[in-house]
Amino acid sequence: MTRTTPARPVDVEAVFPELAAYRGRTTRLHPRPGRPGRHDSHVGGPLLWPGDEPWPVCREPHEPEAEGYAPQEIRAARAAGVWPRSRPWADAGRPGEGGSVPFVGLAQFFRRDVPGLTAGPGGADLVQLLRCPLTHGPYLERRYLLQWRRAAQTERGGHFLATAPEIPLLRWEDELPEPCVVHPEEVDTYPWAEDDVLPAALIARIDAWEDARAAESGRDAPTYQGALSIPPGWRVGGFPSWASTGPMDITCASCAAPMRLLLTAGGDEMDPDSHSWMPLEDRDPSLEGMASIRGGRSVAQPARLRFGRDRDLHVFTCPTDPGHPPRWVLS
């Protein structure tokens, strides 16, 4: 089934014509629980991983864990609609400070499926995103991995990893992604309106317009940030959202070039300020607002993942040389 973003509640360029010069495009991925295969673009499904290539492991020191959730029990609990039971780590299986921990595959996207996905090193057209399931240091930092491949060359190999290795226990239930098919859709998007991302005079006008709308229509009035500029959830390209950190200058550590947003991974597909972005196919046309959204958690949090404290994970790459190390920003 396709997914169709409703028309925006306000024609933002009619109110602020100068925004036309800043208009961009992003590809919303609309993940929904399903059964994707290794040759599909997806969130949480099996990665197209050559059978003779070692699965990546994290060898950095990890914070010690006392208990966790077994992956197979998480899957069984989700199928039954219940919460999984946590278990204590067995001393023999507990990863030490220098223990090797297999990464968890989060997603993969082919350029043939996803409009706007930029090419990787050497023209690579398949990108895979992985995460270490354990935390690092006193601030509980995470480690991510971006793997680029040439899809046709990899698919011709013919021999693929059947099952990725798993850590015996995951720290949280939401470390394990729910397999989701994706429904790519391109939509218009506009920059975050804060600091110097847009001209100060334009930001001031947007703020004044929002205040006037709120005074007229109350808290349900659409806002620029929530309803008119950047959609929530998983997306490729477009502009980063800066709800938690405020705008940041992201530059390449290798060459100092301004980096480009490759993709955004979001745990939630909506919140009270952004529910207007929920696709028409996931709504009851007889109802309005949040009440019209149907499908429960399968549409609100389809991949069952969290990034930080309910933030967006922005993955930036270098436009000068996509082989330079990516940068990961939670915002």
Side-chain angles (χ1 to χ4, degrees):
M1 178 187 293
T2 59
R3 290 296 189 275
T4 309
T5 297
R8 296 299 76 222
V10 174
D11 182 348
V12 71
E13 289 186 19
V15 181
F16 306 104
E18 55 267 60
L19 278 174
Y22 298 92
R23 184 196 316 134
R25 296 285 276 177
T26 189
T27 302
R28 303 190 67 193
L29 295 171
H30 300 303
R32 296 294 183 270
R35 300 183 65 182
R38 63 173 56 91
H39 297 277
D40 300 323
S41 293
H42 61 67
V43 175
L47 300 188
L48 184 68
W49 201 271
D52 58 356
E53 181 178 321
W55 185 259
V57 296
C58 181
R59 294 186 172 87
E60 294 187 35
H62 300 95
E63 286 299 291
E65 304 293 345
E67 60 181 10
Y69 299 88
Q72 67 272 19
E73 293 185 2
I74 295 174
R75 296 184 180 99
R78 288 177 180 175
V82 298
W83 193 260
R85 181 180 61 176
S86 64
R87 293 181 174 275
W89 272 96
D91 289 338
R94 183 181 304 179
E97 290 188 357
S100 297
V101 174
F103 276 79
V104 175
L106 300 185
Q108 70 175 19
F109 306 115
F110 294 82
R111 290 190 75 193
R112 66 191 181 213
D113 299 327
V114 182
L117 180 64
T118 58
D125 55 354
L126 165 61
V127 65
Q128 298 168 323
L129 176 66
L130 304 94
R131 176 170 70 180
C132 175
L134 298 182
T135 56
H136 304 76
Y139 300 106
L140 305 183
E141 296 174 352
R142 309 307 301 272
R143 299 292 183 263
Y144 292 90
L145 175 66
L146 203 64
Q147 176 68 53
W148 287 98
R149 302 186 187 279
R150 291 190 177 187
Q153 178 180 333
T154 304
E155 289 175 319
R156 282 197 299 268
H159 176 56
F160 308 109
L161 183 69
T163 304
E166 292 183 325
I167 192 171
L169 296 180
L170 297 167
R171 182 178 184 184
W172 293 292
E173 181 269 349
D174 50 27
E175 291 295 328
L176 184 71
E178 182 73 11
C180 290
V181 296
V182 294
H183 308 83
E185 178 202 20
E186 287 190 286
V187 299
D188 289 335
T189 185
Y190 301 90
W192 192 258
E194 189 178 353
D195 292 350
D196 58 354
V197 178
L198 290 172
L202 176 55
I203 293 176
R205 288 178 55 216
I206 291 173
D207 290 343
W209 175 81
E210 288 184 336
D211 291 343
R213 295 278 302 203
E216 177 183 338
S217 304
R219 62 185 301 175
D220 292 332
T223 64
Y224 174 81
Q225 310 285 44
L228 306 179
S229 60
I230 301 172
W234 287 76
R235 54 193 183 273
V236 165
F239 302 106
S241 55
W242 297 115
S244 300
T245 63
M248 302 170 63
D249 291 327
I250 309 299
T251 57
C252 178
S254 298
C255 68
M259 301 190 85
R260 173 176 53 201
L261 180 63
L262 174 72
L263 64 89
T264 296
D268 296 318
E269 293 290 300
M270 66 167 186
D271 57 36
D273 292 329
S274 62
H275 66 82
S276 70
W277 292 97
M278 188 57 66
L280 296 173
E281 292 81 1
D282 297 313
R283 291 182 176 273
D284 182 339
S286 67
L287 300 174
E288 296 183 357
M290 288 278 287
S292 71
I293 298 170
R294 56 191 177 188
R297 196 170 185 179
S298 67
V299 302
Q301 195 184 35
R304 307 290 286 268
L305 291 168
R306 288 185 67 196
F307 298 93
R309 296 183 177 178
D310 294 323
R311 297 182 179 184
D312 285 342
L313 172 69
H314 297 310
V315 183
F316 291 88
T317 55
C318 178
T320 302
D321 185 344
H324 288 167
R327 288 191 62 182
W328 321 91
V329 178
L330 284 170
S331 178

